[in-house]
Amino acid sequence: MNLKELATRLGLSTTTVSRALNGYPEVNEETRERVMAAAKRHNYRPNARAIRLATGRAMAIGHVITVSSKHEIVNPVFADFIAGAGETYSRRGYDMLLSVVNDADEPRAYRELKSRGTVDGIIVHAPRANDPRIHLLHEIGLPFVVHGRATGAADPYSWLDVNNRRSFRRAAEFLIDLGHRRIALVNGLEFMDFAIRRRAGYEEAMAARGLPLDPALMFSDEMTETYGYSAACRALDQADPPTAFLVSSLIIAIGVRRALEERGLKLGRDVSLITHDDELSYLRNGEDIPIFTATRSSVREAGRQAAEMLIDRIQTPGLPPQQRMLEAELMVGLSTGPAPTRG
Amino acid sequence: MNLKELATRLGLSTTTVSRALNGYPEVNEETRERVMAAAKRHNYRPNARAIRLATGRAMAIGHVITVSSKHEIVNPVFADFIAGAGETYSRRGYDMLLSVVNDADEPRAYRELKSRGTVDGIIVHAPRANDPRIHLLHEIGLPFVVHGRATGAADPYSWLDVNNRRSFRRAAEFLIDLGHRRIALVNGLEFMDFAIRRRAGYEEAMAARGLPLDPALMFSDEMTETYGYSAACRALDQADPPTAFLVSSLIIAIGVRRALEERGLKLGRDVSLITHDDELSYLRNGEDIPIFTATRSSVREAGRQAAEMLIDRIQTPGLPPQQRMLEAELMVGLSTGPAPTRG
DNA sequence: TGGGCTACCCAAAGCGGTTTGGAAATGATT
DNA sequence: AATCATTTCCAAACCGCTTTGGGTAGCCCA
């Protein structure tokens, strides 16, 4: 059943039927009801392809996920972010388009998305320092919102981010307050913006309390369990091992825990640990009381809000860049305690 | 730059230009080259919306992911499957459409996808026993491929699945061969098809060796770390605890490990464990030698192949249902060893 | 009575491609 | 030289909607 059929069946023009269904004022209320009823009865659904062509809008948002041949890892945060964004899209009538591209092809992918008109806007994932995508997207004129920020980007842009610097500073201070002096940082890849900011927060806290930074206690890599494990091993097997860890993801934390347990060290007593927790649905940090003390911020909620921001930008062009900063909560769990006194 | 502009610029009709670009034979090779060159020079990209309307094809595949209000977990396997499927889609010129819907709205979502013509086909995720979606999709006439199977579905359908029954049978037999007699099964939700089959494999192995099934050693729930932990606690704190665990995901395995370590039990010596490993990119089972002995099957590869199957079905309608069974490898790691002799 | 509004509806022109059904030119065949 | 098939191109219809630019009828008011 298409518009034309419906119209002839009703003895009306397609114009009127279209207007009736889309709530335009220039149609009699009575007629509108007749049309609505008929549409429901024949369960008419306007053809999305035709609407898109006629209106010139794609009614779709693109998410480009890159798979590098080198570190071929899918951002573990991705699924939950998508789930959040998807909720917003359904509610506001947009489709979500996923594009999996090799990282070398990313610029081309954006240009095609624009020139072929498959999407109205884009969410930028996993920004890095001086991320070239921001300039690129400005240049090709595709509305976008960045999940995170990109230190050093020249042009202003819209973003939604967690206050990574502040939350890691607070977490580090919390550990210092507990008496810890040697605190290891097990961070993500430090060309990623979030990792840069977390490190800055950690360094700030150390500096504020007059504690030295020890390169031997600072790690940076792809955030996997095995990385957490091996970083912790290297840290713990030093002459002067850390009494606390500040780590960037639950998965890393799990790896650290493995290293600790291997050495007979008890978490929260012998060694303290604070992790960032994105509240991934398949990796809950305990049920009621958190297993790990954590800086917590829901990535799903971030998805919801970023999508909302983007659609707003698409629907009212010319909106000035908009930013939203989310604060992470510091949830005290079972993995932190006073620094052990040297025996 | 659109077709018409390009055509006038070349002094040709849009027909000829379109044909030249799409490789139709009825155009002079020389002309074709002129057209190709001009297209490249002005970097012309045909408008996707127009193509879709004109051809009646959506050139897009739908993935419906459901978020239940109850167990609001995003399938952890999802991201990697998507990454695999996405590779195939890019290669074959399809877009990937993600639809996040509340599980109650799933049937409606499928019908809309069909009637609005936004996709040409669908991948069905996380099938259950007697999954109603299979009949539904047949009824509305949307091509689909199921990732997994659905025990008890009446109509024939296309699927791609891991041989869960066989791999869990082999894993259980492996443990039995090592002398284990009390083997706990920590499974996923047992209305999910994969979990049903894994349980069947486990039960077959036990029966084949004349070992009794103990309901107190069989667990079923959403596959989270905390579930693994609490199931293991319950199992281990029994009068006659198991000496081995067979579990359905790495995340569960990690939870079990936590319970073991809490009790001072060493994995691979005091207690053995085999897990299924989907080779999720953010959760590698160790670098060179596996941390956990595991039945291993790449969900990313499954994504690639399922997408391939679906596109084939879309492009040649009337193809008989096609099935593909992947065999999981049994990778021996550090988490298994001979059953401890009772002391 | 006629002019001006308003309310309601319609025909037709897009949107940007693909595809059908020729037409003209060329070459081969008789 | 006439006929016929081939090659190469084109005009126009079409996909299914939205939207522009009227048109008509009814009402109000002078």
Side-chain angles (χ1 to χ4, degrees):
Chain A
M1 172 65 56
N2 61 21
L3 227 210
K4 202 198 283 188
E5 283 170 39
L6 189 62
T8 47
R9 210 175 284 258
L10 279 162
L12 290 170
S13 74
T14 60
T15 311
T16 305
V17 175
S18 169
R19 284 182 167 155
L21 294 173
N22 292 317
Y24 282 76
E26 54 270 78
V27 42
N28 193 332
E29 243 352 280
E30 198 180 318
T31 317
R32 187 192 306 282
E33 274 158 29
R34 256 182 65 221
V35 172
M36 293 290 222
K40 172 157 288 182
R41 185 150 26 87
H42 301 92
N43 69 65
Y44 163 74
R45 296 264 175 289
N47 183 298
R49 296 191 291 263
I51 292 181
R52 293 188 220 269
L53 179 57
T55 61
R57 289 170 298 156
M59 295 308 288
I61 308 292
H63 290 246
V64 175
I65 86 173
T66 57
V67 289
S68 147
S69 29
K70 292 191 301 290
H71 63 240
E72 74 159 41
I73 193 172
V74 183
N75 191 341
V77 146
F78 190 69
D80 268 81
F81 184 88
I82 283 298
E87 291 176 30
T88 300
Y89 297 149
S90 320
R91 192 154 26 77
R92 302 193 56 172
Y94 279 75
D95 283 336
M96 171 161 53
L97 198 94
L98 240 67
S99 222
V100 178
V101 306
N102 209 296
D103 52 1
D105 299 333
E106 210 175 350
R108 180 144 48 91
Y110 288 137
R111 287 185 196 281
E112 287 228 340
L113 248 25
K114 167 71 176 186
S115 57
R116 301 172 39 97
T118 26
V119 302
D120 297 319
I122 277 189
I123 297 276
V124 174
H125 292 278
R128 314 176 164 200
N130 304 307
D131 201 304
R133 291 175 293 179
I134 290 169
H135 180 71
L136 176 67
L137 286 168
H138 264 131
E139 182 192 319
I140 63 186
L142 203 51
F144 66 97
V145 166
V146 181
H147 177 215
R149 275 170 287 174
T151 319
D155 336 57
Y157 60 96
S158 294
W159 52 260
L160 174 141
D161 199 6
V162 177
N163 197 335
N164 282 303
R165 196 188 45 70
R166 184 184 293 174
S167 68
F168 261 48
R169 175 171 179 159
R170 279 182 66 205
E173 284 172 345
F174 183 83
L175 290 170
I176 297 171
D177 287 344
L178 284 168
H180 296 279
R181 292 295 168 267
R182 288 188 57 75
I183 302 172
L185 175 69
V186 188
N187 207 354
L189 289 165
E190 287 181 346
F191 52 79
M192 302 294 292
D193 188 83
F194 80 90
I196 294 172
R197 292 179 195 276
R198 288 183 187 169
R199 180 180 187 137
Y202 162 85
E203 291 184 350
E204 272 177 32
M206 298 294 272
R209 304 300 180 91
L211 295 174
L213 293 176
D214 182 353
L217 292 184
M218 290 155 71
F219 304 87
S220 161
D221 205 341
E222 200 107 68
M223 305 193 285
T224 63
E225 198 265 1
T226 47
Y227 159 55
Y229 171 78
S230 64
C233 289
R234 272 181 289 157
L236 293 167
D237 296 344
Q238 291 174 19
D240 188 9
T243 62
F245 285 83
L246 182 51
V247 313
S248 267
S249 85
L250 261 175
I251 295 184
I252 293 179
I254 287 168
V256 173
R257 183 173 69 194
R258 177 156 62 101
L260 292 175
E261 277 157 347
E262 211 175 71
R263 285 161 182 70
L265 297 168
K266 185 159 164 42
L267 204 51
R269 188 192 63 194
D270 306 319
V271 172
S272 287
L273 184 154
I274 300 183
T275 179
H276 183 72
D277 173 12
D278 291 297
E279 294 197 61
L280 304 186
S281 58
Y282 55 88
L283 242 201
R284 286 265 121 102
N285 184 13
E287 300 296 351
D288 36 355
I289 53 168
I291 300 172
F292 298 108
T293 297
T295 58
R296 193 178 71 175
S297 176
S298 166
V299 77
R300 191 145 173 184
E301 178 59 26
R304 276 191 277 263
Q305 292 194 24
E308 212 77 67
M309 284 170 67
L310 179 54
I311 295 179
D312 288 346
R313 303 191 66 68
I314 290 169
Q315 292 185 343
T316 55
L319 225 54
Q322 194 187 349
Q323 288 86 26
R324 197 171 301 175
M325 184 82 100
L326 306 176
E327 294 296 336
E329 311 165 276
L330 182 56
M331 303 285 299
V332 179
L334 303 173
S335 67
T336 43
T341 49
R342 296 187 180 237
Chain B
M1 173 63 58
N2 60 23
L3 227 209
K4 203 197 287 187
E5 284 170 39
L6 189 63
T8 48
R9 210 175 284 258
L10 280 162
L12 290 170
S13 74
T14 60
T15 309
T16 305
V17 176
S18 170
R19 283 182 168 156
L21 294 173
N22 293 314
Y24 282 76
E26 53 269 80
V27 43
N28 192 333
E29 246 348 282
E30 197 180 319
T31 318
R32 188 194 307 281
E33 273 159 28
R34 256 181 66 222
V35 173
M36 293 291 221
K40 171 158 289 182
R41 185 149 27 88
H42 300 92
N43 69 65
Y44 163 73
R45 295 265 174 288
N47 183 298
R49 295 191 291 264
I51 292 181
R52 293 187 219 269
L53 180 58
T55 60
R57 289 170 299 156
M59 296 309 287
I61 308 291
H63 289 246
V64 175
I65 85 173
T66 58
V67 289
S68 145
S69 28
K70 292 191 301 290
H71 63 240
E72 72 161 43
I73 194 173
V74 183
N75 192 341
V77 147
F78 190 70
D80 269 81
F81 184 89
I82 283 298
E87 289 176 32
T88 300
Y89 296 149
S90 320
R91 192 152 27 78
R92 301 193 57 173
Y94 279 74
D95 283 336
M96 169 161 52
L97 199 91
L98 240 68
S99 220
V100 178
V101 305
N102 207 296
D103 52 0
D105 299 334
E106 211 175 350
R108 180 144 47 91
Y110 288 136
R111 287 185 197 282
E112 288 227 340
L113 249 26
K114 168 70 177 187
S115 56
R116 301 173 40 97
T118 25
V119 302
D120 296 321
I122 277 190
I123 297 277
V124 173
H125 292 277
R128 314 175 164 201
N130 303 305
D131 202 302
R133 291 175 292 180
I134 291 168
H135 180 70
L136 176 67
L137 286 167
H138 264 130
E139 182 192 318
I140 63 186
L142 203 50
F144 66 97
V145 167
V146 181
H147 176 215
R149 275 169 289 174
T151 319
D155 336 57
Y157 60 96
S158 294
W159 52 259
L160 175 141
D161 199 6
V162 178
N163 198 337
N164 283 303
R165 194 187 47 68
R166 182 184 295 174
S167 68
F168 261 47
R169 176 172 178 157
R170 278 183 66 205
E173 284 172 345
F174 183 82
L175 289 169
I176 298 170
D177 286 345
L178 283 168
H180 297 278
R181 291 297 170 263
R182 289 189 56 74
I183 302 173
L185 174 70
V186 188
N187 207 353
L189 288 165
E190 287 182 346
F191 53 77
M192 301 294 292
D193 188 82
F194 79 90
I196 294 173
R197 292 180 196 276
R198 288 184 186 168
R199 180 180 187 137
Y202 162 84
E203 291 184 351
E204 272 177 32
M206 297 294 273
R209 305 301 181 93
L211 294 173
L213 293 176
D214 182 352
L217 291 184
M218 291 155 71
F219 304 87
S220 161
D221 206 340
E222 198 106 68
M223 304 193 286
T224 63
E225 198 266 0
T226 48
Y227 158 54
Y229 172 76
S230 64
C233 289
R234 271 181 290 156
L236 293 168
D237 296 344
Q238 292 175 20
D240 189 9
T243 62
F245 285 83
L246 181 51
V247 313
S248 267
S249 86
L250 261 175
I251 295 184
I252 293 179
I254 287 168
V256 172
R257 182 172 70 194
R258 178 157 62 101
L260 292 175
E261 277 158 346
E262 211 176 72
R263 284 162 182 70
L265 296 168
K266 183 153 166 50
L267 205 51
R269 189 192 60 196
D270 305 318
V271 171
S272 287
L273 184 152
I274 300 182
T275 180
H276 184 72
D277 173 12
D278 291 296
E279 294 198 61
L280 303 186
S281 58
Y282 56 89
L283 243 200
R284 287 264 121 104
N285 184 15
E287 300 297 348
D288 34 355
I289 53 168
I291 300 172
F292 299 106
T293 297
T295 58
R296 193 178 72 176
S297 175
S298 166
V299 76
R300 191 143 171 187
E301 179 58 24
R304 276 191 277 262
Q305 293 193 25
E308 213 75 69
M309 283 170 68
L310 180 54
I311 294 178
D312 289 346
R313 303 190 66 67
I314 290 169
Q315 293 184 343
T316 56
L319 225 55
Q322 194 187 350
Q323 287 86 27
R324 195 171 305 172
M325 184 82 99
L326 306 175
E327 295 296 337
E329 311 166 277
L330 182 55
M331 303 286 297
V332 178
L334 302 173
S335 67
T336 42
T341 49
R342 296 187 180 236

